[in-house]
Each structure stands twice: as structure tokens, then as C-alpha cells.
């Protein structure tokens, strides 16, 4: 029902910036306008962790403590695109970043919970590497 594709990852030095984009294509009956979107990240051997989420209208955002003041999440409803602006990047931000969309029903192969929202649609991920 929902396909997500991330872009914008890459390598940057500490203190630098990157902007991740997530383009969503949706099937009939799934409305992005009422659904939460989010960003998760994962490093080898660790669980995927929620980084940021945004509601359907773009009026409510939730950022992890580790990125508050440095990352900003936003969405363009007309383009079905969600962004993660990452500033003042640190080496500990190095990870595979995944775009996710809320999924209320069904049994996806992977479910991530963040801020009380169940995320069950995932993009393939984009690597972010921050060097010191």
C-alpha cells in the first residue's frame, strides 16, 4: 500500500549538515494526510531507534532527546515527501536511516514503535556517516 524511498544520505564531517528526503507513493485507501511519518536509525548490532516523527498535518513533531536542537522533521503534503534536516552532526549520528509510515493494521515483517505510533511501512534505508 505504501512505498517509501529515501535519499540524501552520505558522508560528512562532524559539525556538518545533511538533509534526508523520503518520497512516498501510496495506494488507494491509504491517506498520508492522516498518517504519521517518521525516521528511524540503526547501527550494526543494535535495535532500530526512533529519531523523529510528524503527524499527517505536519503540525505535531516528536524528536528524540539525542537530536533535539539539531534535527528538524518536516513534510510536504502536496509532494508526499518527508524531510529530515540534520545539522551539527556528530559521529554518533552515524547509522542507516530509515523512513517509516504509520501502519495501524496488518502484520508487517518489522514494527517500530515511537511516540506511541506504530510504524510498519519502511524504506530501504540510506547511510549517513559522520567522521570526526
Amino acid at each position: 500500500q505504501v512505498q517509501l524511498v529515501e535519499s540524501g544520505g552520505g558522508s560528512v564531517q562532524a559539525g556538518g549538515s545533511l538533509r534526508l528526503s523520503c518520497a512516498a507513493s501510496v495506494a488507494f485507501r491509504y491517506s498520508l494526510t492522516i498518517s504519521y511519518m517518521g525516521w528511524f536509525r540503526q547501527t550494526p548490532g543494535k535495535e532500530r531507534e526512533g529519531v523523529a516523527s510528524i503527524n499527517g498535518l505536519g503540525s505535531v513533531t516528536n524528536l528524540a532527546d539525542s537530536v533535539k536542537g539539531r534535527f528538524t522533521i518536516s513534510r510536504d503534503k502536496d509532494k508526499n515527501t518527508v524531510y529530515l534536516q540534520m545539522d551539527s552532526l556528530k559521529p554518533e549520528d552515524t547509522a542507516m536511516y530509515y523512513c517509516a509510515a504509520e501502519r495501524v493494521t496488518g502484520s508487517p515483517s518489522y514494527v517500530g514503535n515511537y511516540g506511541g505510533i506504530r510504524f510498519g511501512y519502511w524504506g530501504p534505508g540510506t547511510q549517513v556517516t559522520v567522521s570526526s
Side-chain angles (χ1 to χ4, degrees):
Q1 288 183 309
V2 179
Q3 290 186 325
L4 306 172
V5 179
E6 305 95 339
S7 61
S11 297
V12 65
Q13 288 191 327
S17 299
L18 286 172
R19 188 174 85 152
L20 305 183
S21 299
C22 173
S25 59
V26 299
F28 182 64
R29 296 197 186 112
Y30 187 93
S31 174
L32 280 180
T33 59
I34 59 172
S35 302
Y36 270 81
M37 300 287 291
W39 289 94
F40 287 68
R41 65 187 182 186
Q42 187 173 24
T43 54
K46 293 189 176 181
E47 288 290 317
R48 199 169 294 185
E49 64 171 354
V51 175
S53 66
I54 187 167
N55 71 337
L57 295 177
S59 58
V60 178
T61 61
N62 185 8
L63 292 168
D65 288 342
S66 59
V67 305
K68 279 181 181 176
R70 301 187 298 119
F71 290 12
T72 304
I73 185 171
S74 61
R75 68 190 298 171
D76 184 329
K77 297 187 294 294
D78 293 334
K79 296 181 179 179
N80 279 350
T81 301
V82 178
Y83 304 96
L84 185 68
Q85 177 66 43
M86 305 186 295
D87 298 318
S88 301
L89 282 161
K90 303 176 180 180
E92 51 263 44
D93 294 318
T94 295
M96 183 70 78
Y97 282 72
Y98 296 91
C99 177
E102 182 179 11
R103 184 170 183 175
V104 177
T105 61
S107 300
S109 58
Y110 187 86
V111 174
N113 291 290
Y114 178 68
I117 304 301
R118 180 180 186 258
F119 292 90
Y121 295 106
W122 302 90
T126 185
Q127 179 68 36
V128 171
T129 302
V130 184
S131 58
S132 58

